[in-house]
């Protein structure tokens, strides 16, 4: 049988853990102390890289996975592509590889060239190696600069939010290949 002192110490430790981890609200959710998860000071980071969307050649990084039926749309509404695009330091594909953009996009407007984009920017360089930023939003490709939200991330980008600006650097109308400069502004811990 445990001594009264040991029982009291166990009880106090249990109470300390309950208060440190958070208070239960409604039985299924509890408030958390951000510091216990390592969430101290939020930082704002700016990332710039070039996104290479390549349909041509022997090893394309973008592939059409859904093509709309013929004669149903003037602009390709319903077209969907899966991507594993290089993110590089400069606009040349041969420049330093910083990561990959993995996901998909599709033509989501019946009247203009508006894409819905869902992709992870998987970083492979520096202290962010292995971390991802997640982009989900509308990309009006005819605009000079398009803004899409950063909706989250993983690794060092847990709880990330922010926005990405996309600007077309080059586009080949015969192949569909494109290079797009991305400037991503992310709040993260």
């Amino acid at each position: 049988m445990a001594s009264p002192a040991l029982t009291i110490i166990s009880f106090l430790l249990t109470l300390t853990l309950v208060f440190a981890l958070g208070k239960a609200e409604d039985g299924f959710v509890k408030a958390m102390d951000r510091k216990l998860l390592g969430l101290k000071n939020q930082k704002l980071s700016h990332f710039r890289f070039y996104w290479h969307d390549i349909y041509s050649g022997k090893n394309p990084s973008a592939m059409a996975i859904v093509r709309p039926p013929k004669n149903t749309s003037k602009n390709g509404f319903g077209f969907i592509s899966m991507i594993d695009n290089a993110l590089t330091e400069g606009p040349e594909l041969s420049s330093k590889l910083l990561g990959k953009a993995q996901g998909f996009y599709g033509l989501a407007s019946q009247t203009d060239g508006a894409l819905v984009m869902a992709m992870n920017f998987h970083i492979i360089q520096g202290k962010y190696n292995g971390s991802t930023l997640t982009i989900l939003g509308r990309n009006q490709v005819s605009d000079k600069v398009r803004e899409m939200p950063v909706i989250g991330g993983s690794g060092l980008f847990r709880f990330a939010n922010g926005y990405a600006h996309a600007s077309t650097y080059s586009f080949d109308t015969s192949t569909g290949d494109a290079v797009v400069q991305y400037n991503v502004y992310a709040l993260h811990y």
Side-chain angles (χ1 to χ4, degrees):
M1 185 169 206
S3 72
L6 187 57
T7 304
I8 292 171
I9 290 171
S10 294
F11 177 72
L12 291 174
L13 284 173
T14 303
L15 279 178
T16 302
L17 281 173
V18 167
F19 287 114
L21 293 176
K23 294 184 270 179
E25 301 169 6
D26 296 333
F28 65 95
V29 63
K30 63 182 174 181
M32 297 290 297
D33 182 352
R34 296 175 355 162
K35 292 177 184 159
L36 290 174
L37 294 173
L39 305 177
K40 295 176 183 157
N41 295 319
Q42 206 170 30
K43 301 180 255 321
L44 174 63
S45 296
H46 172 223
F47 299 88
R48 187 189 75 206
F49 34 72
Y50 291 84
W51 180 86
H52 297 267
D53 200 37
I54 301 172
Y55 284 94
S56 65
K58 290 191 285 185
N59 191 23
S61 66
M63 184 171 295
I65 56 173
V66 175
R67 295 183 194 273
K70 294 189 186 307
N71 302 324
T72 59
S73 172
K74 294 179 213 167
N75 71 336
F77 171 69
F79 178 88
I80 300 174
S81 284
M82 187 66 63
I83 62 168
D84 185 20
N85 292 349
L87 299 172
T88 61
E89 192 170 54
E92 302 80 22
L93 187 55
S94 60
S95 65
K96 183 177 182 179
L97 183 66
L98 302 176
K100 293 289 200 110
Q102 298 168 325
F104 58 92
Y105 59 81
L107 279 159
S109 174
Q110 294 181 359
T111 58
D112 56 17
L115 302 170
V116 64
M117 301 192 74
M119 61 185 160
N120 287 312
F121 291 151
H122 178 239
I123 309 300
I124 62 168
Q125 295 291 336
K127 76 177 193 177
Y128 298 108
N129 183 17
S131 298
T132 63
L133 286 166
T134 303
I135 309 293
L136 175 64
R138 186 175 195 269
N139 181 346
Q140 178 66 47
V141 295
S142 60
D143 290 351
K144 184 175 179 172
V145 177
R146 288 88 67 191
E147 184 172 302
M148 291 165 277
V150 172
I151 63 164
S154 67
L156 292 179
F157 298 123
R158 284 186 198 115
F159 298 105
N161 60 58
Y163 65 96
H165 279 163
S167 305
T168 302
Y169 179 83
S170 65
F171 178 69
D172 185 328
T173 57
S174 64
T175 63
D177 294 354
V179 177
V180 178
Q181 180 182 358
Y182 272 86
N183 283 284
V184 181
Y185 302 88
L187 286 167
H188 60 96
Y189 292 94

